[in-house]
Amino acid sequence: MAHSTERLRRGAVAAAAAGMLVVPAAGGVAASASADTTVTSPTPPSPTDTATASPGQFQTLTPAVENELDAAVQQVMREAHVPGVTVGLWTPDKGQYVRTFGVADLSTKQPMATDLYMRIGSETKTFTVTALLQLVDQGKVGLDDPIGKYIGGVPNGDKITIRQLAEMRSGLFNYSEDPGFFKALTSNPQAPFTPQQLLAYSFKHPVMFAPGTQFFYSNTNLILLGLVVEKESGQPLGTYIKNNILTPAGMNQTLFPTGNEFPQPHAQGYTNQTATGKIEDTASWNPSWAWAAGAMISTLNDLRTWAPTVATGTFPNGTRMISAATQAQRLTTPPSTFPGAGYGLGIFDVQGWIGHNGSLPGYESLTIYLPSAKATLVVLLNTDITHAGSEPSTLFGEAITKIVTPNNVFALPAQHAGR
């Protein structure tokens, strides 16, 4: 959701971000995974029958519906000035839709492709919290333990619970909204940050509210949970996630970088969250500043695997990733700050779609699963610059779900973009 992203600050940065990517409109440039699905000038769409649609109903992906999706995605690209986007939509009985549009690199005009590695921002949170919940199942961590039991020096650490951190109800200030942090990152985007440095930016601010009384999206929460995973597992966070989540899931193209490494092939990313406010390419930026909250990298196919895995708590081979009882707690998603959307333990439910999105300078992603239709939607793009107050990943999610699941539309109010 818009709260669940890696934008550096709200306010001036978010406002400045709206509609400022000055690039050629990419809607007319399309490249697909194979020649038989290339999109250049889509046939005028045929309206889908939504009058009788019920919650969970999924439109069959006929050629007419595919044309409608092509047009909708390209319209968002034109309006939001998105250089390139990849969309994957899969169902067990209604067909699948996989497309790439636009360019991965504005300089070389390299087209987007389905095998590109992409930074996935806050989708990292789903992996970090999954690791935490595995430790809960092992009895090494208690969801209702105070964070002070594991990590010292946390404001209100004797009152804030592990559960409240995962649910974004801790009251801790979001370090990535600190002006000093923003200056430090944008003045030297390749510089590494330690978790302790990130926490220091947060802890110099007063606690915002009593724990459990409000929802407020804060990356600080995930830095603390990442440290808990490391302490109680005895492993670096990335190592634990690889061994206990990625490998069992068969996700061999997903990684937790330790620096600014970025496997090839990858898309270039474009942001205006910079020291000057001018657009820069961020592919070489070091995502250590987001660490457990947003540093990971993945691909379309791996995220296709992850969507149902995280939504059900079950690996593709049928074994449990986390216990059914713990998964049920995870999917208890009390309301956040706007209708139709709730946030549970490192995961959201927006109009029935379960998953997470991600946004950090230059990249956005959306990986969601609709259990009632067993449908997976993945969107990957190479800019985070907002349009009319909304993040482009949200605009794509809304445009696509309006067509295929008209009674389960992934929509978030524009005013909530930019966190």
Side-chain angles (χ1 to χ4, degrees), residues 94-176:
K94 302 291 187 179
Q96 67 178 38
Y97 171 91
V98 179
R99 293 284 198 277
T100 64
F101 300 86
V103 297
D105 188 322
L106 287 169
S107 299
T108 66
K109 307 304 180 186
Q110 173 194 353
M112 287 291 283
T114 57
D115 64 345
L116 296 179
Y117 287 89
M118 302 287 283
R119 299 197 187 279
I120 61 171
S122 276
E123 290 196 38
T124 303
K125 292 178 172 66
T126 60
F127 295 92
T128 300
V129 175
T130 296
L132 175 83
L133 295 178
Q134 289 182 338
L135 297 177
V136 169
D137 281 341
Q138 296 167 26
K140 295 180 179 180
V141 177
L143 278 173
D144 296 309
D145 290 343
I147 182 60
K149 177 180 177 180
Y150 304 93
I151 308 295
V154 181
N156 257 5
D158 60 334
K159 300 181 179 66
I160 297 169
T161 66
I162 299 295
R163 186 189 303 274
Q164 289 162 344
L165 291 167
E167 288 181 338
M168 301 296 178
R169 287 172 165 79
S170 70
L172 294 174
F173 184 85
N174 185 1
Y175 70 86
S176 56

Side-chain angles (χ1 to χ4, degrees), residues 49-249:
D49 180 10
T50 61
T52 59
S54 59
Q57 182 174 334
F58 195 98
Q59 298 289 345
T60 300
L61 294 171
T62 63
V65 172
E66 291 179 350
N67 285 339
E68 193 172 357
L69 288 167
D70 293 342
V73 171
Q74 290 176 310
Q75 181 177 350
V76 172
M77 290 186 73
R78 286 190 297 269
E79 293 179 353
H81 302 290
V82 173
V85 63
T86 296
V87 177
L89 187 60
W90 300 270
T91 69
D93 56 359
K94 302 291 187 179
Q96 67 178 38
Y97 171 91
V98 179
R99 293 284 198 277
T100 64
F101 300 86
V103 297
D105 188 322
L106 287 169
S107 299
T108 66
K109 307 304 180 186
Q110 173 194 353
M112 287 291 283
T114 57
D115 64 345
L116 296 179
Y117 287 89
M118 302 287 283
R119 299 197 187 279
I120 61 171
S122 276
E123 290 196 38
T124 303
K125 292 178 172 66
T126 60
F127 295 92
T128 300
V129 175
T130 296
L132 175 83
L133 295 178
Q134 289 182 338
L135 297 177
V136 169
D137 281 341
Q138 296 167 26
K140 295 180 179 180
V141 177
L143 278 173
D144 296 309
D145 290 343
I147 182 60
K149 177 180 177 180
Y150 304 93
I151 308 295
V154 181
N156 257 5
D158 60 334
K159 300 181 179 66
I160 297 169
T161 66
I162 299 295
R163 186 189 303 274
Q164 289 162 344
L165 291 167
E167 288 181 338
M168 301 296 178
R169 287 172 165 79
S170 70
L172 294 174
F173 184 85
N174 185 1
Y175 70 86
S176 56
E177 296 178 21
D178 177 82
F181 165 78
F182 180 81
K183 182 177 180 180
L185 173 63
T186 56
S187 63
N188 187 4
Q190 283 77 36
F193 286 84
T194 67
Q196 291 72 26
Q197 287 174 314
L198 301 175
L199 293 176
Y201 284 111
S202 171
F203 294 171
K204 67 182 182 180
H205 294 270
V207 171
M208 300 172 63
F209 51 82
T213 61
Q214 298 181 42
F215 174 91
F216 177 78
Y217 192 87
S218 175
N219 293 321
T220 305
N221 298 338
L222 268 291
I223 304 303
L224 288 167
L225 294 181
L227 291 173
V228 171
V229 170
E230 291 198 329
K231 181 176 181 182
E232 296 307 310
S233 71
Q235 301 176 49
L237 179 61
T239 301
Y240 182 92
I241 287 174
K242 179 180 180 180
N243 292 341
N244 296 278
I245 301 172
L246 300 177
T247 297

